[in-house]
Coordinates of all heavy atoms in Angstrom, one line a residue:
I566 N -6.9 7.7 12.0 CA -6.7 9.1 11.9 C -6.9 9.4 10.4 O -6.1 8.9 9.6 CB -5.3 9.6 12.4 CG1 -5.2 9.3 13.9 CG2 -5.1 11.1 12.1 CD1 -3.9 9.5 14.5
A567 N -7.9 10.2 10.2 CA -8.3 10.5 8.8 C -7.1 11.0 7.8 O -6.9 10.5 6.7 CB -9.4 11.5 8.6
Q568 N -6.3 11.8 8.5 CA -5.1 12.4 7.7 C -4.2 11.2 7.3 O -3.6 11.3 6.3 CB -4.4 13.4 8.5 CG -5.3 14.8 8.5 CD -6.2 14.7 9.6 OE1 -6.6 13.7 10.3 NE2 -7.0 15.9 9.8
E569 N -4.0 10.3 8.2 CA -3.1 9.2 7.9 C -3.6 8.2 6.9 O -3.0 7.8 6.0 CB -2.8 8.4 9.2 CG -1.8 9.2 10.1 CD -1.7 8.4 11.4 OE1 -2.1 7.2 11.5 OE2 -0.9 9.0 12.3
V570 N -4.9 8.0 6.9 CA -5.6 7.1 6.0 C -5.5 7.9 4.6 O -5.3 7.2 3.5 CB -7.1 6.8 6.3 CG1 -7.8 6.2 5.2 CG2 -7.1 6.0 7.6
E571 N -5.7 9.1 4.5 CA -5.9 9.9 3.4 C -4.5 9.8 2.6 O -4.5 9.8 1.3 CB -6.2 11.4 3.6 CG -6.4 12.2 2.5 CD -6.8 13.6 2.9 OE1 -6.4 14.2 3.9 OE2 -7.8 14.1 2.2
Q572 N -3.4 9.7 3.3 CA -2.1 9.5 2.6 C -2.0 8.3 1.8 O -1.2 8.1 0.8 CB -0.9 9.7 3.6 CG -0.8 11.0 4.2 CD 0.2 11.0 5.4 OE1 0.8 10.1 5.7 NE2 0.3 12.2 5.9
V573 N -2.7 7.3 2.3 CA -2.5 5.9 1.7 C -3.6 5.6 0.8 O -3.6 5.1 -0.3 CB -2.4 4.8 2.8 CG1 -2.3 3.4 2.2 CG2 -1.2 5.1 3.6
L574 N -4.9 5.8 1.3 CA -6.1 5.5 0.6 C -7.0 6.7 0.6 O -8.1 6.8 1.3 CB -6.8 4.4 1.2 CG -6.1 3.1 1.1 CD1 -6.7 2.0 2.2 CD2 -6.1 2.5 -0.2
P575 N -6.7 7.7 -0.2 CA -7.5 9.0 -0.2 C -9.0 8.8 -0.5 O -9.8 9.6 -0.1 CB -6.8 9.9 -1.3 CG -6.0 9.1 -2.1 CD -5.7 7.8 -1.2
E576 N -9.3 7.7 -1.3 CA -10.7 7.6 -1.7 C -11.6 7.2 -0.5 O -12.8 7.1 -0.5 CB -10.8 6.5 -2.8 CG -10.3 5.1 -2.4 CD -8.8 4.9 -2.6 OE1 -8.1 5.8 -2.7 OE2 -8.5 3.8 -2.7
L577 N -11.0 6.8 0.7 CA -11.7 6.4 1.9 C -12.0 7.6 2.8 O -12.5 7.4 3.9 CB -11.0 5.3 2.6 CG -10.8 4.0 1.9 CD1 -10.1 3.0 2.8 CD2 -12.1 3.5 1.5
V578 N -11.5 8.8 2.4 CA -11.6 10.0 3.3 C -12.5 10.9 2.8 O -12.4 11.3 1.6 CB -10.2 10.6 3.7 CG1 -10.4 11.8 4.5 CG2 -9.3 9.5 4.3
H579 N -13.5 11.4 3.5 CA -14.4 12.4 3.0 C -14.0 13.8 3.8 O -13.8 13.7 5.0 CB -15.9 12.1 3.4 CG -16.8 13.2 3.1 ND1 -17.2 13.6 1.8 CD2 -17.5 14.0 4.0 CE1 -18.0 14.6 1.9 NE2 -18.3 14.8 3.2
T580 N -13.9 14.9 3.1 CA -13.7 16.1 3.6 C -15.0 17.0 3.4 O -15.4 17.2 2.2 CB -12.5 16.8 3.0 OG1 -11.4 16.0 3.1 CG2 -12.2 18.2 3.7
D581 N -15.6 17.5 4.6 CA -16.8 18.2 4.4 C -16.5 19.7 4.0 O -15.3 20.1 3.9 CB -17.6 18.2 5.6 CG -17.0 18.9 6.9 OD1 -16.0 19.6 6.7 OD2 -17.5 18.6 8.0
G582 N -17.5 20.6 3.9 CA -17.4 21.9 3.5 C -16.5 22.8 4.4 O -16.0 23.9 4.1
Q583 N -16.3 22.3 5.7 CA -15.7 23.1 6.7 C -14.2 22.6 6.8 O -13.4 22.9 7.7 CB -16.3 23.0 8.0 CG -17.7 23.8 8.0 CD -18.4 23.7 9.3 OE1 -18.1 22.8 10.1 NE2 -19.4 24.4 9.4
G584 N -13.8 21.6 6.0 CA -12.4 21.0 6.0 C -12.3 19.9 7.1 O -11.1 19.3 7.2
M585 N -13.4 19.4 7.7 CA -13.4 18.3 8.6 C -13.3 17.0 7.7 O -14.0 16.7 6.9 CB -14.6 18.2 9.5 CG -14.7 19.6 10.4 SD -13.3 19.6 11.6 CE -13.7 18.2 12.6
K586 N -12.4 16.1 8.2 CA -12.2 14.9 7.5 C -12.8 13.8 8.4 O -12.8 13.8 9.6 CB -10.6 14.6 7.3 CG -10.1 15.7 6.4 CD -8.6 15.4 6.2 CE -7.9 16.4 5.2 NZ -8.5 16.5 4.0
S587 N -13.2 12.7 7.5 CA -13.8 11.6 8.3 C -13.6 10.4 7.3 O -13.4 10.5 6.2 CB -15.3 11.7 8.4 OG -16.0 11.9 7.2
V588 N -13.4 9.3 8.0 CA -13.0 7.9 7.3 C -14.3 7.3 7.0 O -15.2 7.1 7.9 CB -12.0 7.1 8.1 CG1 -11.8 5.8 7.5 CG2 -10.8 7.9 8.4
Q589 N -14.4 6.7 5.8 CA -15.6 6.0 5.5 C -15.3 4.5 5.9 O -14.8 3.8 5.0 CB -15.9 6.1 4.0 CG -16.2 7.6 3.5 CD -16.4 7.8 2.0 OE1 -16.2 6.9 1.3 NE2 -16.7 9.0 1.7
Y590 N -15.6 4.1 7.0 CA -15.2 2.8 7.5 C -15.8 1.6 6.7 O -15.2 0.6 6.6 CB -15.6 2.8 9.0 CG -14.5 3.5 9.9 CD1 -14.8 4.9 10.2 CD2 -13.4 2.9 10.3 CE1 -13.9 5.5 10.9 CE2 -12.4 3.6 11.1 CZ -12.7 5.0 11.4 OH -11.8 5.7 12.2
G591 N -17.1 1.8 6.3 CA -17.7 0.8 5.6 C -17.0 0.3 4.4 O -17.1 -0.8 3.9
N592 N -16.2 1.2 3.8 CA -15.5 1.0 2.5 C -14.1 0.3 2.7 O -13.5 -0.2 1.9 CB -15.3 2.2 1.7 CG -16.5 2.8 1.2 OD1 -17.7 2.1 1.2 ND2 -16.6 4.0 0.9
I593 N -13.7 0.3 4.0 CA -12.4 -0.4 4.3 C -12.4 -1.8 4.4 O -11.5 -2.5 3.9 CB -11.9 0.1 5.7 CG1 -11.5 1.6 5.7 CG2 -10.7 -0.7 6.3 CD1 -11.2 2.2 7.0
V594 N -13.6 -2.4 4.7 CA -13.7 -4.0 4.8 C -13.3 -4.7 3.5 O -12.5 -5.5 3.5 CB -15.1 -4.3 5.3 CG1 -15.3 -5.9 5.3 CG2 -15.3 -3.8 6.8
P595 N -13.9 -4.3 2.4 CA -13.5 -5.0 1.1 C -12.1 -4.9 0.8 O -11.5 -5.9 0.3 CB -14.4 -4.3 0.0 CG -15.5 -3.6 0.8 CD -15.0 -3.3 2.1
L596 N -11.4 -3.8 1.1 CA -10.0 -3.6 0.9 C -9.2 -4.5 1.7 O -8.2 -5.1 1.3 CB -9.6 -2.2 1.0 CG -10.1 -1.2 0.1 CD1 -9.8 0.3 0.5 CD2 -9.6 -1.4 -1.3
L597 N -9.6 -4.6 3.0 CA -8.9 -5.4 3.9 C -9.1 -6.9 3.6 O -8.0 -7.7 3.6 CB -9.4 -5.3 5.3 CG -9.0 -3.9 6.0 CD1 -9.7 -3.8 7.3 CD2 -7.5 -3.8 6.0
V598 N -10.2 -7.3 3.0 CA -10.4 -8.8 2.6 C -9.5 -9.0 1.4 O -8.9 -10.1 1.5 CB -11.8 -9.0 2.3 CG1 -12.1 -10.3 1.7 CG2 -12.7 -8.9 3.6
E599 N -9.5 -8.1 0.5 CA -8.7 -8.3 -0.8 C -7.2 -8.4 -0.4 O -6.3 -9.2 -0.9 CB -8.9 -7.3 -1.8 CG -10.2 -7.4 -2.5 CD -10.4 -8.8 -3.2 OE1 -9.4 -9.3 -3.8 OE2 -11.4 -9.4 -3.0
W600 N -6.7 -7.5 0.5 CA -5.3 -7.6 1.0 C -5.0 -8.8 1.7 O -4.0 -9.4 1.5 CB -5.2 -6.3 2.1 CG -3.8 -6.5 2.7 CD1 -2.7 -6.0 2.2 CD2 -3.6 -6.9 4.0 NE1 -1.6 -6.2 3.1 CE2 -2.2 -6.8 4.2 CE3 -4.3 -7.6 4.9 CZ2 -1.6 -7.3 5.4 CZ3 -3.8 -7.9 6.1 CH2 -2.4 -7.8 6.3
Y601 N -5.9 -9.2 2.6 CA -5.7 -10.5 3.2 C -5.6 -11.7 2.3 O -4.7 -12.5 2.4 CB -6.8 -10.8 4.2 CG -6.6 -12.2 4.9 CD1 -5.8 -12.3 6.1 CD2 -7.2 -13.3 4.4 CE1 -5.6 -13.5 6.6 CE2 -7.1 -14.5 5.1 CZ -6.2 -14.6 6.1 OH -6.1 -15.9 6.7
K602 N -6.4 -11.8 1.3 CA -6.3 -12.8 0.3 C -5.0 -12.8 -0.5 O -4.3 -13.8 -0.6 CB -7.4 -12.7 -0.7 CG -8.8 -13.0 -0.1 CD -9.9 -13.2 -1.1 CE -10.1 -12.2 -2.2 NZ -11.3 -12.3 -2.9
H603 N -4.5 -11.6 -0.8 CA -3.4 -11.5 -1.5 C -2.1 -11.9 -0.6 O -1.2 -12.6 -1.1 CB -3.1 -10.0 -1.9 CG -1.7 -9.6 -2.4 ND1 -1.3 -10.0 -3.6 CD2 -0.7 -9.0 -1.9 CE1 -0.1 -9.7 -3.8 NE2 0.3 -9.1 -2.7
E604 N -2.1 -11.4 0.6 CA -1.0 -11.7 1.6 C -1.0 -13.3 1.9 O 0.0 -13.9 2.1 CB -1.2 -11.0 2.9 CG -0.8 -9.5 2.6 CD 0.6 -9.3 2.1 OE1 1.5 -9.8 2.7 OE2 0.8 -8.7 1.1
K605 N -2.2 -13.9 2.0 CA -2.3 -15.4 2.2 C -1.6 -16.1 1.1 O -0.8 -17.1 1.3 CB -3.8 -15.7 2.4 CG -4.0 -17.2 2.5 CD -3.6 -17.8 3.9 CE -4.0 -19.2 4.2 NZ -2.8 -20.0 4.2
V606 N -2.0 -15.8 -0.2 CA -1.3 -16.4 -1.3 C 0.2 -16.2 -1.3 O 1.0 -17.1 -1.5 CB -1.9 -15.8 -2.6 CG1 -1.0 -16.3 -3.7 CG2 -3.3 -16.3 -2.8
R607 N 0.6 -15.0 -1.0 CA 2.1 -14.6 -0.8 C 2.8 -15.6 0.2 O 3.8 -16.0 0.0 CB 2.2 -13.2 -0.6 CG 3.7 -12.7 -0.6 CD 3.7 -11.2 -0.6 NE 5.1 -10.7 -0.5 CZ 5.6 -10.3 0.7 NH1 4.8 -10.3 1.8 NH2 6.8 -9.9 0.7
A608 N 2.1 -15.7 1.4 CA 2.6 -16.4 2.5 C 2.8 -17.8 2.1 O 3.7 -18.6 2.4 CB 1.8 -16.2 3.8
D609 N 1.7 -18.4 1.4 CA 1.8 -19.8 1.0 C 2.9 -20.0 0.1 O 3.5 -21.0 0.1 CB 0.4 -20.2 0.3 CG -0.7 -20.2 1.4 OD1 -0.4 -20.2 2.6 OD2 -1.9 -20.2 0.9
E610 N 3.1 -19.1 -1.0 CA 4.2 -19.3 -1.9 C 5.6 -19.2 -1.2 O 6.4 -20.0 -1.5 CB 4.1 -18.2 -2.9 CG 3.0 -18.3 -3.9 CD 2.7 -17.0 -4.8 OE1 3.4 -16.0 -4.6 OE2 1.9 -17.2 -5.6
L611 N 5.7 -18.3 -0.2 CA 7.0 -18.3 0.5 C 7.3 -19.5 1.3 O 8.4 -20.0 1.4 CB 7.0 -17.0 1.4 CG 7.1 -15.7 0.6 CD1 7.0 -14.5 1.6 CD2 8.4 -15.6 -0.1
E612 N 6.2 -20.0 1.9 CA 6.4 -21.3 2.7 C 6.8 -22.4 1.8 O 7.5 -23.3 2.2 CB 5.0 -21.7 3.5 CG 4.8 -20.7 4.6 CD 3.4 -21.1 5.3 OE1 2.8 -22.2 5.0 OE2 3.0 -20.3 6.1

């Protein structure tokens, strides 16, 4: 839901001239990969 994404990652949401919001899905993948790498390191440290 674009409004929910916008609260966390506003740079991933585009708002057109009529106020319609859309999520730029292609830009989410790099963020998810970096998040996963960070969480993997954190999990390894906790283990």
